Amino acid sequence: MELKNRDEADGRSSLKGQVREFFDHQAATFERRAGLPEDCAREIARAVLEIGEARPRDLLAEIGPGTGQIGRWFSKEVRYVGIDLSVGMLREFRARLSDRVENRALVHADAQARWPLADGSTRVVFGSRAIHLLNHEHVASEMSRVSEARGATLIIGRVRREPQSLRARMAREMQERMRQRGFEGRGGEGQNRRLFEACSRRGAKIMDAVGVARWTVSASPKDSLDSWRSLVSLGGISVPFKLREEILMELEGWAERAFGSLDREFESEETYMLYPLRFI
Ligand SMILES: C[S@@+](CC[C@H](N)C(=O)[O-])C[C@H]1O[C@@H](n2cnc3c(N)ncnc32)[C@H](O)[C@@H]1O
């Protein structure tokens, strides 16, 4: 079964199992593949609290905190709850929190179901590289339910790459090959737009996007290929093993022609963006 059918009620539990397995499988190596520089992660946490106008004792919920790269840096003055489907990811996060447990809770739960948050309880909901994995109508409706009466902010975090960077070009080529075979990847601006529309319909105000951190990466085509080979899926969705190998072989050939060598390193800038929506 493909993850792209996630909105269908039938097979929901096996789909949930696949997503959980996918993230459990990569928990220990996630940061090697998708790590954020530590100073950037701290800055993102600071900016989320500022944009969300969080005050001491306010409740901040993070959806899909993963290994806690960002979650660990939220000030202890706010009450923090991280909600994640993957036990493996939460285990990594918990190990980090050992001496910082005050006002912190990590909950193993599926954010595609009712969020484990009381009605009207939450000041800020943050999701970094995770909200696009969820159904946008569900996120908008849960956000309306849990928002504090004096207002709340949903903040979506994602990494923006230069369109001509090696990683962006490799990802586009991969997505294109998936599309040719009938697989639709997730994420991207389209996904954001659908969520924004669903939130606007519930009265939320879309605020300006903010770039909060910037860093330089040096990457070769081989890095992207190795990283994809280390996963059990491609572009966030599961594809049969043979097909995955076929796509990666094709990509290898394309990259060799396009970049001259699989080992050649290219530098580019990446920006961490926050997209806030205010629920009043
Ligand atoms: C790409 S990781 C991002 C981790 C972290 N937020 C970061 O930016 O480093 C996505 C996270 O979302 C979690 N996740 C995916 N689907 C979920 C769901 N339905 N409910 C809760 N968490 C989910 C995964 O387990 C994983 O930890």
Side-chain angles (χ1 to χ4, degrees):
M1 202 179 102
E2 300 157 20
L3 297 187
K4 66 181 168 180
N5 291 332
R6 64 173 314 119
D7 291 344
E8 292 172 10
D10 289 350
R12 192 37 220 290
S13 57
S14 71
L15 179 59
K16 182 173 130 186
Q18 272 186 38
V19 175
R20 190 174 48 216
E21 224 174 86
F22 170 67
F23 284 107
D24 280 349
H25 175 80
Q26 55 168 308
T29 55
F30 178 73
E31 289 181 26
R32 217 178 311 136
R33 207 176 60 75
L36 298 167
E38 186 174 303
D39 54 338
C40 296
R42 278 178 192 256
E43 180 51 26
I44 294 163
R46 195 204 56 74
V48 165
L49 293 180
E50 185 182 303
I51 294 168
E53 298 178 359
R55 299 191 207 132
R57 302 290 305 149
D58 278 350
L59 181 63
L60 159 76
E62 183 176 0
I63 305 293
T67 56
Q69 287 192 88
I70 301 168
R72 67 196 286 221
W73 298 117
F74 287 112
S75 151
K76 273 192 254 175
E77 292 194 338
V78 294
R79 290 174 297 131
Y80 171 91
V81 55
I83 300 162
D84 204 292
L85 183 60
S86 159
V87 173
M89 289 289 207
L90 286 177
R91 195 180 302 124
E92 299 284 322
F93 192 174
R94 233 170 237 127
R96 286 197 147 136
L97 273 186
S98 51
D99 59 336
R100 305 180 92 245
V101 289
E102 195 189 327
N103 275 342
R104 261 45 335 207
L106 297 182
V107 182
H108 176 222
D110 181 7
Q112 279 285 94
R114 186 183 166 91
W115 295 349
L117 302 167
D119 295 0
S121 62
T122 314
R123 183 64 170 160
V124 184
V125 174
F126 171 55
S128 167
R129 307 186 285 185
I131 298 284
H132 66 285
L133 299 168
L134 308 178
N135 175 282
H136 47 274
E137 291 293 342
H138 178 69
V139 172
S141 128
E142 279 299 273
M143 191 60 210
S144 296
R145 182 183 68 77
V146 303
S147 288
E148 271 197 19
R150 72 189 157 113
T153 309
L154 169 65
I155 305 178
I156 300 152
R158 48 183 298 212
V159 175
R160 191 165 72 190
R161 296 185 175 131
E162 292 168 335
Q164 286 314 316
S165 66
L166 173 120
R167 283 180 172 180
R169 289 181 65 191
M170 289 289 291
R172 268 202 306 277
E173 285 294 321
M174 186 260 281
Q175 296 287 356
E176 183 48 37
R177 280 166 175 74
M178 301 263 289
R179 244 190 313 274
Q180 285 164 4
R181 289 161 170 94
F183 293 87
E184 202 62 52
R186 290 178 311 211
E189 298 296 336
Q191 192 88 9
N192 259 6
R193 200 181 51 247
R194 281 192 291 277
L195 175 60
F196 290 179
E197 284 164 7
C199 292
S200 296
R201 265 186 269 117
R202 287 166 174 85
K205 184 170 166 274
I206 300 165
M207 297 161 69
D208 290 340
V210 191
V212 282
R214 210 159 220 272
W215 59 89
T216 304
V217 290
S218 181
S220 67
K222 187 170 178 304
D223 293 335
S224 297
L225 292 164
D226 286 350
S227 156
W228 291 330
R229 286 208 160 95
S230 73
L231 299 174
V232 291
S233 69
L234 260 189
I237 61 175
S238 73
V239 288
F241 177 78
K242 256 184 89 178
L243 199 61
R244 206 178 124 236
E245 279 307 297
E246 189 184 301
I247 293 173
L248 289 173
M249 286 297 288
E250 263 184 37
L251 269 176
E252 205 171 286
W254 172 83
E256 220 155 9
R257 290 189 298 279
F259 300 108
S261 149
L262 293 182
D263 294 310
R264 192 160 156 210
E265 300 252 336
F266 294 85
E267 275 201 354
S268 64
E269 296 265 291
E270 296 192 342
T271 309
Y272 192 95
M273 301 295 298
L274 291 177
Y275 300 87
L277 294 107
R278 190 90 77 205
F279 283 69
I280 307 137

